[in-house]
Amino acid sequence: MAPKAQTDPVEEAILQSCLQHAEGIGNDVLTGPGGPLGDVELSARVSALNNLLRSGKVALFKQGAHLLYKAAQTQDSKTKGLTAEEMLIYQVIKQAGNLGVWTRDMKMRTNLSQPQISKILKVLEGRNLIKSIKNVNNPSKKLFICSELEPSTEVTGGAWWVDAVLELKLLTIGHYGSFMALRF
C-alpha cells in the first residue's frame, strides 16, 4: 500500500483561509499581521499558491485593483480536461451571464492574443460549453454565452426580434389589431 501523500501546511493554511472567506481573500489579509501566512517565507507562499492554482483547488480572481484567492468549486465533467487558458476564457464567459461577452472584452480581461482566443472559442463551442449569439444593437459582432443560458432580452431584442432582425409582420399585425380595437 502506497503511503498517503502529506499536504503542505502552507497550502493547507491557504486553502482553509479561502474556505472561510467564500467571497475571496486578498494577499494582504493572508500575509498581514494576524494573517495565517504572516510569518511564512515569500518563496514558500509562492510555491504553495502555485501548487494550489495548478491543481485547481484555488482560483485567482481580480476585483478592482486587487487579486483575490477563492476556493475553487469542483470541476464538473464538462470542464474536465480544459487547459488553463480555455478555463480562463470559459470563466470570463460564465461571469458575463446571459448578457454575453465580446471577444474584445475577453482579450482585455485575459491578456490573451486574438488568434489564441479564437482557437479557444472554437474548442469551447465544439465541446458545447458556449454558444455565439448576435446582439440586436450590434449585429456584426458575436457575443458568447454559456450554452445552458438563454440570452437576455436586452441582447436579443425580445419578442419583436428574430435572429437579430426586426419582425415587421408581427409588428404590423399588432398595429392593425390595436387600430381595430380602438376603432370599435
Side-chain angles (χ1 to χ4, degrees):
M1 187 170 175
K4 188 177 180 181
Q6 294 198 356
T7 58
D8 181 16
V10 178
E11 288 181 24
E12 192 61 36
I14 294 169
L15 194 55
Q16 287 304 316
S17 297
C18 289
L19 290 171
Q20 290 171 357
H21 298 88
E23 71 285 349
I25 186 167
N27 208 31
D28 53 340
V29 177
L30 280 172
T31 59
L37 304 178
D39 58 346
V40 176
E41 192 176 312
L42 178 63
S43 61
R45 283 193 311 244
V46 170
S47 176
L49 280 168
N50 282 336
N51 287 339
L52 289 170
L53 288 168
R54 196 176 311 116
S55 67
K57 293 179 182 175
V58 171
L60 184 64
F61 292 93
K62 187 175 183 182
Q63 186 176 38
H66 301 288
L67 292 176
L68 298 177
Y69 304 103
K70 291 184 183 181
Q73 293 127 5
T74 56
Q75 285 187 333
D76 55 1
S77 60
K78 292 192 312 183
T79 59
K80 247 191 185 26
L82 292 180
T83 65
E85 290 86 7
E86 291 168 348
M87 194 63 184
L88 182 63
I89 293 290
Y90 181 67
Q91 287 174 345
V92 168
I93 294 170
K94 197 169 190 167
Q95 287 173 350
N98 64 352
L99 293 175
V101 63
W102 284 323
T103 54
R104 181 176 177 215
D105 294 334
M106 287 182 227
K107 184 178 176 184
M108 289 174 31
R109 291 182 191 172
T110 62
N111 291 328
L112 295 173
S113 67
Q114 188 64 42
Q116 195 174 12
I117 291 173
S118 298
K119 182 179 174 185
I120 291 170
L121 290 172
K122 286 180 184 176
V123 169
L124 294 176
E125 280 183 302
R127 292 184 71 170
N128 203 23
L129 292 173
I130 63 169
K131 62 184 175 183
S132 63
I133 56 172
K134 289 184 180 180
N135 186 338
V136 293
N137 297 326
N138 211 339
S140 63
K141 293 184 179 179
K142 282 200 270 185
L143 288 172
F144 292 90
I145 65 170
C146 290
S147 59
E148 66 266 6
L149 297 177
E150 285 296 319
S152 168
T153 55
E154 294 174 36
V155 174
T156 61
W160 305 112
W161 294 79
V162 176
D163 294 329
V165 177
L166 185 61
E167 191 62 50
L168 291 175
K169 286 183 183 178
L170 191 58
L171 279 173
T172 305
I173 292 170
H175 176 68
Y176 180 74
S178 300
F179 176 73
M180 292 305 286
L182 290 174
R183 194 172 138 180
F184 294 111

